[in-house]
Amino acid sequence: MALADLLKGKVLLVSGGTQGVGAGIALAAAQQGAEAVAVVGRSEDKGRQSVDALEAAGTAAFFVRADLADHAQVGTVVDTAVARFGRVDALVNAAGLTTRGTMLDTTVELFDAHIAVNLKAPFFLMQQAIAHLRGRGAPGAIANIITMSSHGGQPYLAPYVAAKAGLVGLTKNAAHAHRWDRIRINGINIGWTATEGEDGIQRRFHGAGDDWLEQANASQPMGKLGQVDEIADFVVFLLSERSGVVTGSVIDWDQQVPGAYD
């Protein structure tokens, strides 16, 4: 299989596919020969921009408008994509909520919001995708974008960590349960990554100035934060047949080593 055809003929569904890491994964899939990509998001404008970029890359594309905090809307996502393209071969759960909260100041509403977007939505999107694949008797692949913070994280990410750590366990549970269906399910614990969303978070919650990214890059061992296109290429590989039999793995994609100290 040529390196430019890793996902040749595949139909992908990418939650959070209209921005950030999700948009990067959707574009990388198109560049690697995907037949079609459905992207899920809330913004019609961002959805249209994402579809335009995917079509420009030569791939059929469709925007599924859904607020993943609303379970009723989550429940229609896979069926909508299947109605458009006839099938879904791979699912990427890239949507995420990263608003801040500590153990002492997190409200029930904030906690519930994190669980809804970061754990409940992936659970039920996986449920729908797995049921669809089993119904077709087809193999498939699922990639869950998680976080290095699932190892414990920062004090100001308490509800985020709680939800994402749950997604780690869910990834392994589902991979084990459906390995005989030939549905491979893996997770990627990404580290600090340079995205537009992260720019907004740094400015809103941490008082960052215009030079925050330059300073952040300089503070990292490799001289840069994680890059969306590099993460996207890795996810595409995991979704492809070239990653072989790998399932149930949650891979740390970062330059910091958990448990190691200077």
Side-chain angles (χ1 to χ4, degrees), residues 177-191:
H178 296 287
R179 67 199 192 283
W180 288 103
D181 296 315
R182 294 182 298 149
I183 301 171
R184 298 185 304 107
I185 305 170
N186 294 291
I188 303 93
N189 279 334
I190 63 173

Side-chain angles (χ1 to χ4, degrees), residues 157-246:
L157 291 178
Y160 177 70
V161 169
K164 288 292 194 175
L167 186 54
V168 170
L170 173 61
T171 298
K172 296 181 179 183
N173 179 274
H176 175 74
H178 296 287
R179 67 199 192 283
W180 288 103
D181 296 315
R182 294 182 298 149
I183 301 171
R184 298 185 304 107
I185 305 170
N186 294 291
I188 303 93
N189 279 334
I190 63 173
W192 198 6
T193 303
T195 65
E196 290 182 8
E198 181 62 18
D199 181 78
I201 286 288
Q202 289 297 319
R203 294 175 188 275
R204 177 183 175 188
F205 292 104
H206 302 288
D210 292 341
D211 63 345
W212 78 266
L213 182 57
E214 180 181 352
Q215 292 185 30
N217 285 337
S219 73
Q220 300 303 299
M222 307 302 169
K224 63 179 181 179
L225 300 191
Q227 302 297 301
V228 168
D229 62 331
E230 296 169 353
I231 295 169
D233 287 345
F234 186 72
V235 172
V236 164
F237 174 76
L238 275 181
L239 294 173
S240 78
E241 294 175 5
R242 291 302 299 159
S243 60
V245 299
V246 174

Side-chain angles (χ1 to χ4, degrees), residues 35-100:
E35 177 181 319
V37 181
V39 293
V40 185
R42 293 178 297 176
S43 168
E44 292 281 355
D45 288 342
K46 289 182 179 179
R48 184 167 53 252
Q49 292 170 12
S50 184
V51 166
D52 288 346
L54 293 170
E55 290 179 340
T59 297
F62 181 60
F63 171 58
V64 181
R65 188 182 184 282
D67 182 350
L68 297 184
D70 182 347
H71 180 65
Q73 294 184 48
V74 171
T76 66
V77 166
V78 173
D79 285 346
T80 300
V82 170
R84 178 72 175 205
F85 294 126
R87 70 184 194 280
V88 168
D89 301 307
L91 167 68
V92 179
N93 282 305
L97 180 67
T98 58
T99 48
R100 282 16 185 175

Side-chain angles (χ1 to χ4, degrees), residues 106-173:
T106 294
T107 63
V108 171
E109 291 77 16
L110 180 61
F111 183 87
D112 287 347
H114 276 271
I115 294 297
V117 174
N118 294 328
L119 181 57
K120 186 176 180 179
F123 185 107
F124 286 100
L125 288 174
M126 289 169 65
Q127 182 186 78
Q128 296 167 48
I130 291 168
H132 166 71
L133 289 165
R134 280 170 51 94
R136 288 168 48 207
I142 296 173
N144 292 324
I145 306 304
I146 313 179
T147 173
M148 289 296 290
S149 293
S150 66
H151 291 291
Q154 300 91 328
Y156 54 76
L157 291 178
Y160 177 70
V161 169
K164 288 292 194 175
L167 186 54
V168 170
L170 173 61
T171 298
K172 296 181 179 183
N173 179 274

